[in-house]
Amino acid sequence: MTSRGHAPLRRVTKVAAAASVTSVRAARLEEQLEKKAERRGGAVAFGKTMFGVVVAGLGIAGQVRIRDLLSPLPSSPAEKMSIKGFVSRRNLQEQQGVTQIPLDEALSREDIHAAIVSTENSSHEDYVRKFLEAGKHVCVEYPMALSYAAAVELFRLADEKGKVLHVEHIELLAADYRQLKKEVCGKSLQEGSLHFTAGPVAPGFGSLAFSGISRLTWLVDLFGELSVTGAKLTEEPEKKYTKLTAHLLTQDRRSLTWIEERGPGLRRNKTIDLRFDSGRVDQLPAVPRDPVGLFAQDLRIFGRKLLGQVATEALQAERKRVLHCLQLADRISQLVQAPQQSAS
């Protein structure tokens, strides 16, 4: 952990967990969606052989998406996608030979069947809703929304429209994570921690619980559904420094601590310390870099969903994990925000 010399300046907030009415209602809707999906049964196969795709957002991820659409993996479902343009709030020239088009055009064109949303986190929900309402399939970067209730509603809308809503989680595709999962599989956890550091969070990316949801997803994917027992937020606004500490429990009541620390000069790094009954894992595996990029791997998954090649059971399990992680992020955000609101 990075040592800091301004502890008196920190504002620390901590509060016990409490259920919210909004989350309860969203959970009920989630159960209704699961039952509806079960009744429908089976993966849906689409008749189109090619899918016109638009990319919304032209940051680093958006540019990589365009590159991967222009040069899809050979013999992969990504070859069934054809990029038709990109959408950006900025007025830009052609990017990699692809033309910018207005959002309204992307929503209305019949030759555009799907959208990839690569904007800042705060606008994910709005873009996803607009594209779904226009009858387009959607691939969106994590987090799909900045609240659990909004995410449940977006999945409901996707079901209503009969469209694919794919949430990208490339952190689960990384070679070091895949090897870590193999190493801990079958072991009995006693306690553990995951500490992530990086530079300050950019505007529009939400609270640390949501901007760092990929780390939370790691823990859920490794150890199953979790519950939140407490959370603390330390802030030094004048230094652009924030630190979130969340305390979690596995279903068999083993303790996990997630720390998300962001500030100037902090190197992007993950530190793990997982103690099992058979030993300890305190380093990420050193593995060769995957020759296929993470976004290209994710595009292949999206393509399989468009072609109806993913089983209903797998889709339901993925949705359940996505919503569970967002529900945890919601809970953590509520815990650290409540005392701030009462003090204002």
Side-chain angles (χ1 to χ4, degrees):
M1 182 179 296
T2 304
S3 175
R4 304 191 60 83
H6 300 281
L9 297 177
R10 295 180 180 177
R11 179 173 56 176
V12 179
T13 59
K14 190 173 184 180
V15 65
S20 72
V21 173
T22 302
S23 292
V24 171
R25 289 174 178 169
R28 289 174 180 167
L29 180 54
E30 180 184 348
E31 291 177 1
Q32 294 171 2
L33 291 177
E34 289 178 355
K35 291 178 181 178
K36 181 178 179 182
E38 289 172 0
R39 289 195 299 269
R40 286 165 59 184
V44 179
F46 298 94
K48 299 181 185 298
T49 56
M50 290 296 294
F51 295 87
V53 179
V54 64
V55 173
L58 207 67
I60 295 175
Q63 294 177 25
V64 173
R65 291 292 194 180
I66 291 176
R67 181 201 67 191
D68 291 342
L69 285 165
L70 291 172
S71 302
L73 293 174
S75 302
S76 79
E79 288 188 315
K80 297 296 184 180
M81 302 182 205
S82 173
I83 187 165
K84 300 298 183 181
F86 69 88
V87 172
S88 176
R89 289 187 297 271
R90 297 172 291 165
N91 291 321
L92 301 170
Q93 297 178 344
E94 283 190 357
Q95 301 291 316
Q96 303 176 58
V98 178
T99 304
Q100 181 174 5
I101 62 175
L103 176 59
D104 288 345
E105 181 180 334
L107 294 171
S108 62
R109 275 176 52 174
E110 293 185 359
D111 65 335
I112 293 178
H113 312 105
I116 297 177
V117 178
S118 300
T119 62
E120 66 277 6
N121 296 349
S122 59
S123 63
H124 286 180
E125 177 186 345
D126 184 53
Y127 273 101
V128 171
R129 179 173 287 106
K130 285 179 178 177
F131 280 116
L132 287 175
E133 288 176 340
K136 315 296 185 185
H137 305 289
V138 178
C139 167
V140 59
E141 293 179 357
Y142 66 81
M144 62 184 291
L146 295 181
S147 78
Y148 166 69
V152 172
E153 174 59 25
L154 291 176
F155 274 125
R156 184 205 63 78
L157 180 59
D159 286 346
E160 179 183 292
K161 295 289 186 177
K163 299 301 173 182
V164 171
L165 175 50
H166 168 68
V167 185
E168 165 262 300
H169 275 283
I170 58 173
E171 74 279 9
L172 300 181
L173 305 176
D176 58 353
Y177 174 74
R178 297 200 311 269
Q179 183 60 36
L180 174 65
K181 189 171 182 179
K182 290 179 182 178
E183 291 182 7
V184 306
C185 181
K187 294 183 179 180
S188 179
L189 178 74
Q190 301 302 302
E191 63 178 349
S193 66
L194 170 59
H195 184 181
F196 176 78
T197 60
V201 178
F205 281 79
S207 68
L208 289 184
F210 284 94
S211 65
I213 203 166
S214 63
R215 268 70 70 185
L216 194 55
T217 302
W218 262 31
L219 295 177
V220 169
D221 193 57
L222 286 174
F223 304 113
E225 292 193 357
L226 306 173
S227 58
V228 183
T229 61
K232 180 175 69 174
L233 181 67
T234 300
E235 294 181 291
E236 294 181 33
E238 70 282 0
K239 296 181 178 296
K240 298 183 179 180
Y241 172 82
T242 53
K243 179 182 177 182
L244 171 69
T245 303
H247 300 285
L248 310 163
L249 279 181
T250 65
Q251 289 182 309
D252 54 358
R253 305 197 64 77
R254 300 301 184 181
S255 175
L256 285 168
T257 301
W258 169 37
I259 301 172
E260 194 84 1
E261 189 175 13
R262 308 294 295 262
L266 292 179
R267 186 169 62 91
R268 189 176 184 88
N269 188 52
K270 294 188 192 78
T271 303
I272 60 170
D273 189 0
L274 305 174
R275 187 166 63 85
F276 301 93
D277 57 355
S278 58
R280 195 171 198 162
V281 178
D282 57 7
Q283 289 186 337
L284 288 173
V287 295
R289 190 170 183 174
D290 199 311
V292 178
L294 298 180
F295 286 107
Q297 293 181 49
D298 181 70
L299 194 63
R300 181 168 53 194
I301 296 171
F302 183 42
R304 291 186 63 227
K305 291 180 180 180
L306 291 178
L307 295 170
Q309 296 175 354
V310 181
T312 300
E313 294 77 11
L315 294 173
Q316 290 176 347
E318 181 181 292
R319 178 183 296 195
K320 185 177 181 180
R321 187 205 70 227
V322 168
L323 289 175
H324 178 62
C325 291
L326 288 168
Q327 191 171 30
L328 293 175
D330 240 3
R331 163 67 59 222
I332 292 168
S333 294
Q334 290 166 11
L335 295 181
V336 300
Q337 289 173 3
Q340 297 175 357
Q341 293 172 350
S342 62
S344 61

